[in-house]
Amino acid sequence: MLTLAGYAISEVIHNGARTAVYRATRTGDGQSVILKLPQAEFPTLEENDRLRREYEILKGFDTPHVVTAYCLEQHQNRWVLVLEDSGGISLKHCIPAKGMDLRTFLEIAIQICKALEVAHQKKIIHRDIKPKNILMNVLTKAVKLIDFSISSYLSQDHASTHPSTQLEGTLAYISPEQTGRMSRRVDYRSDLYSLGATFYELLTGNPPFVVTDPLELIHCHLLKQPVDLLLHRPSLPPVVAQLVMKLLEKNAEDRYQSIFGLRVDLEHCQRQVMQTGAVTSFPLGQQDQSGYLLIPQRLYGREQERGLLSTALERIVTKANPATVPFQAENKAELLLIRGPAGIGKTALVQNFQQSLGKREGYFISGKGDVARQEIPYRLFTQALEDLIRQLLAETSEQLDGWRQHLHRSLGQNLQPLLEFIPALETIVQPHSPIPPVEPAKTQISFHEVFQTFLQIFAQPDHPLVMVLDDLQWADPASLNLLQTLMTSPYPQALLIVGTYRDNEVNPDHPLHQTIAQLQQQKAIVHPIELPPLNPDAATHLLRDALGQPETVASFANLLWKKNEGNPLLLTQSLRALYQDGLLHFNFHNQQWGWDLKTIAEKDLTHVIPTAIQKLPAATQHLLKLAASLGNRFSLEALAAVSNKTLSATAADLWTALQADILLPISQVCTLKPNTGEDTAVASSCDYQLQYQFAHNQMQEAAQALILDRDEASLHQQIEQSLLEHQDNPLKQVHPLRASHGCMPGLNHSRAFPLCCDLSRDWFLWHSDTAVFERPSGVPHP
């Protein structure tokens, strides 16, 4: 039994892989308490930070439906979270084999809603709602919500694709968007899905999907419908079954939009049971308004273009199948080029298309052009392959072994060109002996050939490969050259390349324009898709979904459509700006949104994105200028280095940009507001791998536009000097397999020039007359 000074431990409640929970008596006053601490004697920064996160959140609650946190204490190397002992036990242990009776279910469900309602009012997403995280006192049936260790203080969070063993949340109850495989942000409605899975288990004895394989379970959440509750419980009132199934909708827009609306319907059911013993059907969600502005992530007005993408996918799968189509010269890859101005919805269209690929169990990978990194060779393709590697690592060990054998069998010693550009590939292939280098004169040819062979391994009819090359107007010449090679290859493969670019920034002399012309001359299969502005009906549909008032929103939508000329990004950003300025507000008395058309009509919404950035604190604006120079995606450590600030101070100054949705947090840690005060007991311990991303290219460009011409050279010099002074930081702490190579634009001054770097991974190799940064062992020279 663990020994902690000041506490007499009496019982082990939970002994998990990462966390231990004990019941104890505080020796000073005899108070019974619950102790929660990391399992490891020497925990990582992230493990300790989870407890700090939980304590910070819990101490802000004042409700009987959430467990109370007494204090956070340090014992040797571990933080210990001291919680109240409510005498409750996990709800998981209170569920009968065939589910709870209706009265008990309603009583417990309403209490859970009250707890979650308080959390959402504080703008906290719990992110791990499940029966184990709900305590119930068996005698009083009082319920308390626990475990806020992975909760987020952001109204919208970002979920990345991770191996199933590394996902935050519990797979049996996790929402589709929280798996990171839907290209959707995570908001409050993710908790509602998990709550639906919990309700399902309370009523049937089992969660919606009883599957042991993690990847199959994720697939079920994404694509399969649970068995209807009425098949499990024929005696259950149909409206209760409908209520639970509504919570389990795959798309967040189809679920309840608020805990308040759900609680109102549950209380209506409870009143009927108490009065008549039965529940009659009634319309669900009549008071389902959250009061928060949640921009729908659906696709509006793009049905035709969406159909073109789906048809192209079916076409390349059919052509690549030798059983159905004999080999022909035209059985080669296809390229769809989506063009349109900034903010027109090119990336949104592609992300929506990604969901259909999951039905075929294919791979969807992407690389993104970056205005700040146009000189890094092959960046779009190496970024896409790193995306593929992350997905492969998320598969089972048996599947990974199969891919490893296939790669060695197909490529053998020819893997070296790929390993030079994508060192992370070594985690897949794991060569047992050094691969001899390729002669410099043959490097480009070998890289193109090996890259093509590599893609053919994964681009097969039973698992097609869709590669998205976003923002081709900023593509480096090497990537465009490789694209041309892939598109003129005669070998059949289930490869669909989708490129997006701003046509108003590509003139006849632009390298992309010349590449497209050459592809057409070489008879490559290229399909142009032009995205027009949204029509008024699509804009109205968007606002109806956002505000939930179909009868009154038409004139408001038409006004915004005219002001933004049908640009969906500017339209949604205008909505956010009006909400933040109080010109769009929610009236809790009549449960409706309100706005003043006359005032809004007079408001200038032309520069809504730059204005949003200019409203941020000066320190945040300065950091955004630096971040924009680093790239669309950057790390906290790199930004702290170039700004000469501590990690916690940098994270604190970025917090308002996260709240304003200018930035998105990429990493799964430190979404809690950083603590920069004098309370050292809960000081921030942000992980150096914490990464951020600009929510849209226009956010990055707006931040760059804040840099005055006279300040640009000095800003770049500041970045260069800071990186030189922090040579011990990025190089020694970042794993060498996360490095890739290229050149950093704007910093090749006379004092120093970059040899290779990847700013998204914080890895730099510099040489100057005053310093040489050694590259980590195992990282090959480009």
Side-chain angles (χ1 to χ4, degrees):
M1 186 73 71
L2 179 73
T3 301
L4 291 177
Y7 296 94
I9 297 176
S10 57
E11 180 185 354
V12 179
I13 297 176
H14 173 70
N15 202 7
R18 303 180 67 172
T19 307
V21 181
Y22 301 92
R23 177 170 278 112
T25 301
R26 192 162 52 194
T27 55
D29 57 5
Q31 176 73 43
S32 179
V33 296
I34 302 296
L35 304 178
K36 182 177 181 180
L37 64 157
Q39 185 71 263
E41 184 178 354
F42 297 95
T44 64
L45 290 176
E46 180 182 348
E47 288 170 337
N48 265 332
D49 192 66
R50 285 174 180 267
L51 290 181
R52 182 191 69 86
R53 177 206 307 260
E54 186 166 9
Y55 175 68
E56 288 284 345
I57 290 176
L58 288 177
K59 73 177 185 178
F61 284 114
D62 183 18
T63 171
H65 301 295
V66 175
V67 68
T68 300
Y70 291 146
C71 61
L72 186 66
E73 300 180 2
Q74 188 171 10
H75 288 264
Q76 296 180 342
N77 305 299
R78 290 182 278 191
W79 289 116
V80 177
L81 180 58
V82 184
L83 304 166
E84 72 165 314
D85 184 1
S86 65
I89 62 174
S90 167
L91 194 57
K92 181 76 173 178
H93 302 307
C94 303
I95 305 174
K98 294 185 179 180
M100 294 180 171
D101 65 89
L102 184 58
R103 285 177 180 266
T104 303
F105 164 75
L106 291 172
E107 183 178 356
I108 292 173
I110 290 169
Q111 290 185 75
I112 299 172
C113 286
K114 288 179 179 178
L116 203 50
E117 195 172 352
V118 174
H120 288 184
Q121 287 172 354
K122 292 182 175 292
K123 299 184 178 180
I124 295 169
I125 309 172
H126 188 280
R127 302 180 85 237
D128 198 17
I129 298 295
K130 59 182 179 181
K132 280 189 177 181
N133 283 340
I134 300 163
L135 300 181
M136 185 181 76
N137 187 302
V138 179
L139 298 177
T140 65
K141 289 192 172 60
V143 165
K144 287 184 182 289
L145 183 61
I146 64 171
D147 198 354
F148 286 78
S149 59
I150 64 170
S151 301
S152 172
Y153 253 126
L154 299 174
S155 59
Q156 294 189 91
D157 208 345
H158 180 90
S160 301
T161 302
H162 288 272
S164 57
T165 55
Q166 297 178 13
L167 284 175
E168 287 200 327
T170 305
L171 285 184
Y173 311 92
I174 199 168
S175 70
E177 60 268 28
Q178 200 172 327
T179 65
R181 290 155 171 82
M182 285 190 73
S183 294
R184 289 180 63 105
R185 298 186 193 180
V186 177
D187 58 41
Y188 307 109
R189 296 169 295 188
S190 176
D191 283 346
L192 287 162
Y193 181 93
S194 300
L195 187 59
T198 299
F199 285 176
Y200 194 100
E201 184 170 359
L202 296 182
L203 289 168
T204 67
N206 291 298
F209 304 107
V210 183
V211 178
T212 56
D213 180 71
L215 291 178
E216 185 182 352
L217 186 52
I218 290 173
H219 181 76
C220 289
H221 285 302
L222 291 172
L223 298 171
K224 291 188 177 180
Q225 293 297 324
V227 175
D228 194 305
L229 273 169
L230 293 178
L231 295 179
H232 288 289
R233 294 269 300 267
S235 61
L236 196 68
V239 70
V240 175
Q242 293 166 13
L243 179 149
V244 176
M245 299 306 287
K246 181 178 177 69
L247 289 169
L248 289 171
E249 289 287 349
K250 306 300 183 185
N251 290 317
E253 290 83 5
D254 297 325
R255 301 173 201 149
Y256 275 93
Q257 301 302 290
S258 69
I259 286 290
F260 173 80
L262 171 63
R263 179 170 62 83
V264 168
D265 285 352
L266 286 170
E267 289 174 341
H268 183 69
C269 293
Q270 186 183 50
R271 284 193 297 272
Q272 289 195 60
V273 169
M274 294 176 66
Q275 293 170 2
T276 66
V279 181
T280 58
S281 295
F282 62 93
L284 296 175
Q286 292 299 294
Q287 297 188 52
D288 185 24
Q289 289 282 2
S290 68
Y292 300 109
L293 180 64
L294 293 174
I295 304 297
Q297 298 181 57
R298 280 176 168 160
L299 201 62
Y300 296 90
R302 305 299 189 208
E303 292 77 11
Q304 180 179 353
E305 293 82 2
R306 177 69 168 72
L308 292 174
L309 290 172
S310 298
T311 301
L313 177 61
E314 296 298 324
R315 190 166 55 242
I316 63 112
V317 169
T318 302
K319 288 194 306 181
N321 190 346
T324 57
V325 178
F327 173 79
Q328 298 177 17
E330 62 268 20
N331 287 1
K332 48 192 175 184
E334 296 192 16
L335 172 64
L336 274 67
L337 284 175
I338 306 173
R339 65 177 188 263
I344 204 66
K346 302 181 291 295
T347 302
L349 172 62
V350 174
Q351 289 177 341
N352 182 273
F353 170 60
Q354 178 183 358
Q355 299 177 30
S356 67
L357 186 65
K359 298 176 182 178
R360 286 192 167 274
E361 298 182 352
Y363 294 100
F364 183 100
I365 62 178
S366 63
K368 185 177 180 64
D370 194 326
V371 66
R373 305 186 198 172
Q374 297 181 64
E375 297 178 16
I376 301 179
Y378 297 112
R379 184 175 185 278
L380 269 75
F381 286 97
T382 55
Q383 200 176 36
L385 258 62
E386 287 174 351
D387 193 3
L388 177 60
I389 291 167
R390 281 192 293 271
Q391 294 182 42
L392 294 177
L393 290 173
E395 296 185 352
T396 63
S397 57
E398 292 79 8
Q399 290 173 311
L400 196 58
D401 287 339
W403 289 123
R404 182 178 297 114
Q405 295 172 15
H406 198 166
L407 285 167
H408 279 287
R409 186 169 56 249
S410 301
L411 292 170
Q413 299 297 320
N414 291 324
L415 281 167
Q416 179 60 29
L418 283 177
L419 289 172
E420 287 188 352
F421 283 87
I422 312 158
L425 180 60
E426 191 172 350
T427 59
I428 302 292
V429 299
Q430 296 179 354
H432 298 290
S433 59
I435 299 176
V438 181
E439 297 178 19
K442 298 180 180 179
T443 298
Q444 184 175 6
I445 297 175
S446 298
F447 181 71
H448 284 200
E449 292 177 351
V450 171
F451 195 98
Q452 186 170 302
T453 304
F454 181 88
L455 290 185
Q456 285 180 330
I457 293 173
F458 298 95
Q460 298 296 323
D462 56 340
H463 48 80
L465 178 64
V466 176
M467 180 187 295
V468 177
L469 303 178
D470 212 357
D471 289 315
L472 282 170
Q473 74 276 1
W474 297 322
D476 60 277
S479 289
L480 292 177
N481 192 10
L482 179 54
L483 173 62
Q484 194 168 345
T485 299
L486 293 175
M487 293 311 305
T488 55
S489 168
Y491 300 104
Q493 51 189 325
L495 173 63
L496 178 64
I497 301 179
V498 181
T500 73
Y501 69 99
R502 301 178 184 179
D503 52 350
N504 58 328
E505 297 182 16
V506 176
N507 57 40
D509 296 328
H510 194 284
L512 176 59
H513 188 278
Q514 296 173 1
T515 300
I516 295 173
Q518 291 171 2
L519 286 173
Q520 292 171 338
Q521 291 176 1
Q522 294 170 311
K523 307 299 182 183
I525 305 175
V526 181
H527 305 284
I529 298 178
E530 182 175 4
L531 282 189
L534 291 183
N535 58 45
D537 289 341
T540 301
H541 190 184
L542 190 157
L543 260 70
R544 283 175 177 170
D545 287 348
L547 305 180
Q549 296 168 210
E551 296 83 9
T552 61
V553 82
S555 56
F556 183 27
N558 189 57
L559 174 61
L560 287 185
W561 176 80
K562 289 180 179 178
K563 278 183 168 289
N564 294 287
E565 299 179 343
N567 186 294
L569 175 67
L570 296 181
L571 192 151
T572 55
Q573 290 301 312
S574 294
L575 265 182
R576 293 183 191 275
L578 295 173
Y579 178 62
Q580 291 168 358
D581 292 343
L583 296 177
L584 172 64
H585 54 87
F586 187 75
N587 189 321
F588 285 92
H589 179 69
N590 59 18
Q591 290 290 300
Q592 285 193 332
W593 288 92
W595 54 85
D596 185 345
L597 280 183
K598 183 179 179 181
T599 304
I600 295 174
E602 297 171 352
K603 186 175 179 61
D604 183 12
L605 296 175
T606 308
H607 306 290
V608 61
I609 293 177
T611 300
I613 294 180
Q614 291 166 9
K615 289 181 179 179
L616 299 175
T620 304
Q621 291 187 48
H622 179 67
L623 284 180
L624 290 178
K625 294 178 190 178
L626 295 171
S629 299
L630 293 178
N632 180 265
R633 180 179 290 198
F634 59 93
S635 78
L636 179 67
E637 188 185 41
L639 189 58
V642 300
S643 62
N644 292 316
K645 292 186 175 184
T646 64
L647 294 179
S648 58
T650 306
D653 286 340
L654 287 180
W655 183 252
T656 53
L658 288 170
Q659 290 180 307
D661 291 321
I662 303 297
L663 296 179
L664 295 175
I666 300 302
S667 303
Q668 292 187 333
V669 296
C670 295
T671 53
L672 179 64
K673 183 177 180 179
N675 181 8
T676 57
E678 298 179 357
D679 184 5
T680 56
V682 290
S684 176
S685 57
C686 290
D687 195 313
Y688 67 85
Q689 295 176 12
L690 178 62
Q691 292 188 357
Y692 300 87
Q693 177 178 309
F694 282 94
H696 192 276
N697 288 334
Q698 285 195 270
M699 311 291 188
Q700 180 186 1
E701 294 170 54
Q704 284 179 314
L706 295 176
I707 305 173
L708 300 177
D709 291 341
R710 68 174 183 271
D711 298 331
E712 185 171 4
S714 62
L715 187 65
H716 284 166
Q717 188 174 5
Q718 176 188 344
I719 294 175
E720 172 193 335
Q721 185 63 37
S722 298
L723 292 176
L724 288 171
E725 292 174 355
H726 290 79
Q727 55 180 303
D728 291 336
N729 231 357
L731 288 173
K732 293 184 178 179
Q733 294 186 6
V734 177
H735 195 282
L737 293 183
R738 295 183 177 180
S740 63
H741 310 293
C743 298
M744 182 175 179
L747 296 178
N748 50 345
H749 306 300
S750 58
R751 292 187 64 253
F753 61 91
L755 297 180
C756 53
C757 68
D758 185 344
L759 288 169
S760 69
R761 292 286 185 256
D762 265 357
W763 192 86
F764 305 88
L765 177 62
W766 289 75
H767 176 276
S768 74
D769 56 355
T770 59
V772 175
F773 287 10
E774 298 290 336
R775 69 179 182 272
S777 61
V779 177
H781 195 284

